[in-house]
Amino acid sequence: MGRRKYEMELPTDFLSKIAEFDRTKKESKIETLLYSSSNTIKAITKDIKNGIGIKNPVQVIVSDNKALMVQGCHRLVAAKQAGLKKVPAVVVFLRKLVGKWEKMEPKMVDI
């Protein structure tokens, strides 16, 4: 499988359009009880505002002029709440979606 990987900063507005999950919406009640997204986002926002920043970059896959942010939805929301316009990202360009990436194709957004 051909792939290229780059580290860069990407605009938060762009990432919001290609995020796999919308962490600003409440999930089912059971999921909310099991995993509190809002507490996680608050903790990350606090770290950003206290100068710690985003410890791990968000991850984006790109293939055939389509993209999907596959990791970092909480970090993205926290960054926006902290007023950041860009966040660190690892972007992986794939020639073909194979293996675990095949199931992501329906979620990918044209860019």
Side-chain angles (χ1 to χ4, degrees), residues 1-57:
M1 170 176 69
R3 77 180 210 180
R4 294 170 292 174
K5 180 176 162 180
Y6 300 94
E7 291 189 29
M8 60 186 71
E9 285 199 343
L10 292 175
T12 55
D13 289 340
F14 169 71
L15 290 170
S16 293
K17 295 175 187 173
I18 65 166
E20 182 177 4
F21 300 107
D22 183 353
R23 295 293 184 194
T24 59
K25 294 183 180 177
K26 284 211 172 197
E27 308 294 334
S28 69
K29 289 181 183 178
I30 294 171
E31 204 170 275
T32 302
L33 290 173
L34 293 174
Y35 185 75
S36 177
S37 289
S38 63
N39 288 339
T40 301
I41 291 167
K42 285 177 189 174
I44 298 168
T45 303
K46 183 179 174 184
D47 283 351
I48 293 168
K49 287 182 176 181
N50 288 335
I52 295 170
I54 296 176
K55 297 173 189 170
N56 297 307

Side-chain angles (χ1 to χ4, degrees), residues 93-104:
F93 291 87
L94 303 169
R95 277 197 199 127
K96 184 176 179 183
L97 297 173
V98 295
K100 67 180 180 180
W101 301 118
E102 284 180 284
K103 65 182 177 189
M104 298 294 186

